[in-house]
Amino acid sequence: MLRERRRAILATARSLQRLCRETLPLMLRQVSGKQLIGSVRDVVATDRWNSFDRFHETTGTLVQHYEAAGAQVEVESIQTGGRIGSGRWIIQEAVDVRGATVDAVHPVRERVLDWRENPWHVIQWSAATPREGLRLRLQILDDMRSIERLPADGLAGSIVLTKLDPRRGLKLLADKGAAAVIVDGPVPNLPNALAWTKFGWGAIPLERSSARLVGFVLSVKQGEKLRRLARRNGQLTLDVKADIRKYVGHHDVVSGVIRGAGDPQDEVWAIAHSAEPGAVDNASGVALTLEIARVIEGLIEAGKIKRPKRSIRLLNAYECYGFFAYLERVQRLQTPLAGVCIDTVGSKPEVCDGRLEWHATIPMSAGFVDRVGEAILRSGVRRHRPGYRVCPENFMATSDTLIGDPQYGFPCPWITTHHRDSGRGFDAYHSSADIEKLLSPKGLETCAASMAAYLYYLADMGSGEAGELVRSENQYFIAALGEKKRPQ
């Protein structure tokens, strides 16, 4: 009842009604599910390798798409590796993966894994082996106490197969002499999927930087097969090769800019992170920003909408390490006025239980964007019928949504189809099962058109629209306060 009453108050903003009645339908007709899926495919083709040299190829793809859409393109390079300095927004190492294999060589010969067949087999920030590889004995250890009880050199010359989180036991395994680790941890309900596994976030943590292990991943089923092989044949010897280069390099922040008609310093932003191997998380978000550029620039060129007063910056980068670094390093007269985080969108309804979530911006920022975005999303879902229900949610801190903190950022809600009814993420989250088939073309269309309309409304807002929002926000909070019970 409370939410319905507040929505009715927001609907009194005539400019927002007009946008949902006139502009949003134009955008829904302009979006293309085929184009969106094609963009997802293009991004995944290079990002799936989880290697910085391939991330630069993704940059080229994004530049081509934005230019084809008619947007202006800017590419800013952020250093990766080298002097850490304050440590803020620094990835400690750039890493190129060129190949990795594991083979059982004694007493049986059998291929265990090959990175070229599935790049999720290599743990991110893995160390390399010598060119000729390493010959190691396999030890299976699935609990920390067993590892702790080993002598100091108890794992010397070994590769450990474990279901433990390697970040938790990384230093201990290295201290005990292990040269490599294979993780066969589970992915919910997907025994053939490989979990996206990392030794750290942005590289091995500094306090564990001496713990350099070669790291691999198997699915639960592949792990069971290797475990059976070990039980059947006794001590297994594995031949391990990992062609991995670490260096001081850079990663890219790509902007597609829909130029405004007014002051070029006035901007609204959409952030959608690239450099991640999944289709849903987050090639879908990147595809949305590309489609937003195509839709808005196409409608402007066709004379169906005017160029907005402010510029719309569509930003793709290596999650917080790109967005926060860009915001901090690129000089501008003012921070963006508002925006949105587009992360994990367009899932098939059965993948996300039909939940299209709109998470509020951080509470201390300007919350009017929450109501504006919700109204537009509801209109988009009602008109396009993608099989979703709009679920307004409280602020949730992620690597990106903290950019809404007003001390350095801008009001930034989060649109996502990440969560199921249970509250947890979709089954294939951060795994090799996060593939294009999980996406709904119609769901992507709905999200793209709705976010295009949201960004356009904010970018073109004038004093009249602002006045309407002030009045509706005032009524909104008066209604909210009126429904609070007075203390006895």
Side-chain angles (χ1 to χ4, degrees), residues 407-456:
Q407 70 173 329
Y408 49 73
F410 53 92
C412 187
W414 171 31
I415 181 175
T416 188
T417 55
H418 175 77
H419 298 99
R420 308 198 70 163
D421 284 337
S422 62
R424 66 176 179 82
F426 65 106
D427 286 348
Y429 173 61
H430 277 186
S431 82
S432 61
D434 182 356
I435 59 176
E436 177 190 320
K437 290 181 180 179
L438 300 183
L439 290 166
S440 159
K442 197 162 191 178
L444 288 167
E445 288 175 349
T446 304
C447 294
S450 298
M451 289 302 95
Y454 166 80
L455 291 165
Y456 185 81

Side-chain angles (χ1 to χ4, degrees), residues 267-405:
E267 293 185 352
V268 297
W269 284 16
I271 58 175
H273 68 84
S274 54
E276 189 158 318
V280 181
D281 184 18
N282 188 36
S284 67
V286 177
L288 232 68
T289 58
L290 300 174
E291 186 69 356
I292 288 168
R294 191 185 71 82
V295 166
I296 294 179
E297 288 286 3
L299 289 172
I300 291 171
E301 185 179 1
K304 295 183 178 179
I305 60 175
K306 64 179 182 177
R307 188 160 292 279
K309 296 179 176 68
R310 300 171 190 85
S311 295
I312 299 170
R313 184 174 295 272
L314 306 158
L315 211 62
N316 308 122
Y318 195 108
E319 225 160 333
C320 62
Y321 288 98
F323 302 134
F324 284 69
Y326 179 82
L327 188 62
E328 187 175 83
R329 297 178 194 189
V330 177
Q331 295 299 312
R332 58 183 70 247
L333 295 176
Q334 62 184 24
T335 57
L337 302 179
V340 64
C341 174
I342 303 174
D343 190 340
T344 310
V345 291
S347 302
K348 289 180 177 177
E350 59 267 28
V351 171
C352 61
D353 292 333
R355 294 183 61 85
L356 175 55
E357 294 182 349
W358 180 249
H359 284 264
T361 186
I362 197 167
M364 66 280 286
S365 67
F368 77 94
V369 292
D370 301 338
R371 269 74 72 183
V372 169
E374 182 185 342
I376 295 170
L377 268 181
R378 288 190 182 281
S379 181
V381 167
R382 186 172 60 251
R383 289 176 179 276
H384 210 52
R385 301 185 181 278
Y388 298 147
R389 62 189 184 282
V390 177
C391 300
E393 297 289 339
N394 293 329
F395 170 75
M396 179 179 287
T398 73
S399 299
D400 295 331
T401 57
L402 288 171
I403 207 167
D405 191 317

Side-chain angles (χ1 to χ4, degrees), residues 95-309:
V95 182
D96 292 350
V97 184
R98 296 170 177 172
T101 56
V102 175
D103 294 283
V105 294
H106 183 80
V108 294
R109 302 188 69 86
E110 187 169 323
R111 172 58 52 93
V112 176
L113 64 87
D114 186 341
W115 172 83
R116 294 193 180 279
E117 293 179 359
N118 190 333
W120 301 74
H121 276 309
V122 172
I123 293 179
Q124 193 161 14
W125 317 116
S126 168
T129 65
R131 184 183 298 273
E132 65 275 14
L134 296 170
R135 189 150 289 193
L136 305 169
R137 70 180 184 276
L138 179 68
Q139 295 207 45
I140 301 174
L141 296 164
D142 290 319
D143 68 276
M144 291 294 290
R145 289 183 180 178
S146 297
I147 301 171
E148 289 167 351
R149 286 195 294 265
L150 292 171
D153 61 349
L155 294 176
S158 296
I159 181 169
V160 176
L161 175 62
T162 184
K163 293 187 178 296
L164 295 171
D165 182 343
R167 286 177 290 190
R168 181 173 164 226
L170 175 65
K171 191 173 188 305
L172 182 60
L173 288 171
D175 288 346
K176 298 295 183 179
V181 61
I182 304 175
V183 180
D184 62 342
V187 176
N189 304 314
L190 296 166
N192 290 310
L194 283 71
W196 186 27
T197 308
K198 297 181 277 190
F199 278 141
W201 175 237
I204 295 171
L206 286 173
E207 70 275 11
R208 303 177 188 173
S209 59
S210 61
R212 297 287 179 168
L213 295 181
V214 183
F216 303 100
V217 183
L218 294 175
S219 69
V220 166
K221 281 200 170 181
Q222 290 169 328
E224 288 172 353
K225 181 180 178 182
L226 183 56
R227 289 164 186 266
R228 285 196 303 271
L229 202 64
R231 287 195 299 269
R232 190 181 308 128
N233 295 282
Q235 182 70 64
L236 283 181
T237 301
L238 303 184
D239 190 12
V240 175
K241 293 181 180 178
D243 185 359
I244 296 171
R245 173 180 172 245
K246 298 185 178 182
Y247 58 99
V248 176
H250 69 277
H251 58 96
D252 300 322
V253 181
V254 181
S255 294
V257 183
I258 301 167
R259 286 294 179 193
D263 186 343
Q265 284 291 326
D266 282 346
E267 293 185 352
V268 297
W269 284 16
I271 58 175
H273 68 84
S274 54
E276 189 158 318
V280 181
D281 184 18
N282 188 36
S284 67
V286 177
L288 232 68
T289 58
L290 300 174
E291 186 69 356
I292 288 168
R294 191 185 71 82
V295 166
I296 294 179
E297 288 286 3
L299 289 172
I300 291 171
E301 185 179 1
K304 295 183 178 179
I305 60 175
K306 64 179 182 177
R307 188 160 292 279
K309 296 179 176 68

